[in-house]
Amino acid sequence: MAETIKPKAGIMDIALYVSGESHVDGHTEVLKLSANENPYGCSDKAKAAFLRTAQTLNRYPGTDHRALRAAIGEVHGLDPDRLICGVGSDEVLQFIVQAYAGEGDEIITTQHGFSMYPILAKMVGATPVTVGEDERVIDVDAILAAVTTRTRVVFLANPANPTGTMVERGEMERLAAGLPRSVLLVHDGAYAEFVENFDGGAALVDAYPNVIMTRTFSKIYGLGGLRVGWGYASREIIDVLTRLRQPFNLSEIQMATAEAAVRDRDFVERCRTENAKWREWLRNALVQMGVGCDASHANFVLARFENPQEAEACNAALRADGIIVRPVKSYGLPQALRITVGDESACRRVIHVIATFKGIR
Ligand SMILES: *Cc1c(COP(=O)(O)O)cnc(C)c1O
């Protein structure tokens, strides 16, 4: 009898994450607006730190991330002892499901929520439960109504991806207050820095013991290729998550580069300002052409067309011009395209192609 190696139940049900495309056949120079990357690159100080630390590759990195946590704590006004750093915020999200959920447990995500959340739930054998949104905005009452005795974790991003919408402070308070203390609320702040004067959920973490905030260096810091993210929660939660973290999960290169990036506040400020300016320009241009577009709080806009066919045709027109945006059919938005806010010339080029497609120019 032939025996074969079989994975644990459910593993083969995990759909692979699909990242933003970066190639179009027949184009050598594409304009990639599909992965919410920073069009201005990253801080020069981060690059210098990266090159400097290349000299230390023969050495194992430190295990406690002390300098990086201290820098994040200093810049964001947070207690470094309540921070954990991971290989992207994705790794921190993974520690969360590993620590708090398993077979038979439920993890709540929302209708157009980030596609990593159900993947993470399934990784630990938990059941993702998807809750409806209200016109592409997270619906606090719907989440609260979906909580059962099996619920362990609620995942939401604020601002959200791919909708770009935000839940206001009072609503987040109501959600945190309404959840049982045994349910962990994950406030994914991947796009928090694009919102002026927003703490990314830090105050909520301080007010509720069952809230964790995650952040990333992949978006406004322009370091998606570096793979560094972090989380902020109570000492108890950080202690739990740290036990799941591999001691050498981050290299000295990653830590030193991220540290230089977080300390370069001027770079972040410039990116925030430019992004806001061109995001509004992009949205206005779309709306004027009759393309639906909610106010976005992130570094992308969600362009909503008449129907899925029009979205597909517009995507084809953009690709023919060497522009890659993100179709979001898999997010339950087949009539929409998510477009990263590029620099001025990128925004003008996108709008020119869409206008031509719409027969406006
Ligand atoms: C981009 C993104 C992240 C960041 O992932 P990293 O692993 O830090 O690169 C997390 N959450 C959301 C909603 C995102 O869009």
Side-chain angles (χ1 to χ4, degrees):
M1 198 181 78
E3 298 211 29
T4 54
I5 297 176
K6 284 210 198 97
K8 289 189 283 186
I11 303 269
M12 296 313 289
D13 299 336
I14 301 173
L16 295 179
Y17 179 81
V18 182
S19 65
E21 279 189 276
S22 51
H23 296 284
V24 183
D25 286 344
H27 286 267
T28 44
E29 289 250 329
V30 296
L31 175 56
K32 187 184 174 196
L33 301 173
S34 57
N36 302 339
E37 293 155 339
N38 189 331
Y40 310 105
C42 70
S43 153
D44 286 336
K45 289 174 182 162
K47 278 182 223 167
F50 183 95
L51 294 174
R52 218 170 34 241
T53 36
Q55 307 304 320
T56 65
L57 278 171
N58 58 318
R59 304 285 178 207
Y60 269 93
T63 60
D64 61 12
H65 304 165
R66 189 181 302 274
L68 176 55
R69 286 188 296 109
I72 294 169
E74 206 179 302
V75 170
H76 292 279
L78 304 172
D79 177 359
D81 289 339
R82 292 171 57 193
L83 299 174
I84 183 167
C85 303
V87 179
S89 48
D90 282 355
E91 195 187 32
V92 179
L93 299 174
Q94 186 170 346
F95 297 149
I96 293 168
V97 292
Q98 284 179 319
Y100 294 102
E103 237 168 283
D105 294 334
E106 292 173 354
I107 293 183
I108 295 180
T109 65
T110 65
Q111 194 180 357
H112 308 300
F114 186 40
S115 62
M116 274 306 291
Y117 304 152
I119 292 176
L120 290 160
K122 289 179 187 172
M123 275 186 190
V124 296
T127 307
V129 174
T130 308
V131 168
E133 297 183 4
D134 180 11
E135 294 286 312
R136 298 168 301 283
V137 180
I138 284 165
D139 181 343
V140 166
D141 291 312
I143 293 175
L144 292 174
V147 172
T148 72
T149 53
R150 290 167 181 270
T151 308
R152 294 288 169 268
V153 178
V154 174
F155 274 122
L156 57 84
N158 198 32
N161 172 20
T163 58
T165 61
M166 250 186 117
V167 183
E168 36 181 288
R169 176 75 188 266
E171 280 294 278
M172 283 303 303
E173 286 272 357
R174 199 160 71 75
L175 175 58
L179 286 174
R181 288 294 173 269
S182 55
V183 174
L184 183 60
L185 173 60
V186 182
H187 188 292
D188 178 341
Y191 301 95
E193 294 87 355
F194 293 105
V195 184
E196 217 170 327
N197 299 321
F198 180 48
D199 70 358
L204 210 61
V205 172
D206 291 338
Y208 297 89
N210 55 327
V211 180
I212 180 166
M213 164 178 83
T214 58
R215 303 283 285 265
T216 183
F217 282 93
S218 302
K219 304 288 156 58
I220 207 164
Y221 294 98
L223 292 169
L226 188 71
R227 310 305 303 132
V228 183
W230 52 279
Y232 173 65
S234 68
R235 276 172 194 262
E236 289 74 17
I237 291 174
I238 295 302
D239 178 52
V240 169
L241 301 183
T242 301
R243 287 162 202 272
L244 293 163
R245 181 174 71 72
Q246 295 204 24
F248 304 112
N249 68 329
L250 292 182
S251 68
E252 213 60 49
I253 294 192
Q254 285 168 296
M255 291 190 278
T257 307
E259 183 186 337
V262 76
R263 290 190 186 283
D264 192 348
R265 301 181 197 214
D266 290 346
F267 177 80
V268 172
E269 188 54 45
R270 275 203 307 280
C271 293
R272 177 177 21 249
T273 307
E274 283 300 298
N275 177 72
K277 175 175 169 190
W278 291 102
R279 179 182 61 200
E280 298 329 309
W281 184 88
L282 206 51
R283 176 173 181 235
N284 285 336
L286 288 168
V287 170
Q288 271 169 31
M289 290 190 279
V291 178
C293 188
D294 297 322
S296 167
H297 301 273
N299 66 340
F300 54 83
V301 295
L302 185 71
R304 286 178 287 120
F305 294 85
E306 296 287 328
N307 50 50
Q309 292 71 29
E310 194 190 20
E312 231 167 89
C314 185
N315 187 40
L318 287 162
R319 288 181 76 88
D321 207 74
I323 302 173
I324 310 178
V325 300
R326 185 69 172 262
V328 279
K329 191 169 154 184
S330 64
Y331 283 89
L333 295 159
Q335 76 287 20
L337 298 174
R338 190 192 69 192
I339 307 169
T340 301
V341 178
D343 58 13
E344 173 172 359
S345 82
C347 290
R348 290 190 186 281
R349 208 173 128 190
V350 167
I351 290 303
H352 177 75
V353 174
I354 298 178
T356 307
F357 166 79
K358 289 285 245 174
I360 293 167
R361 272 191 278 239

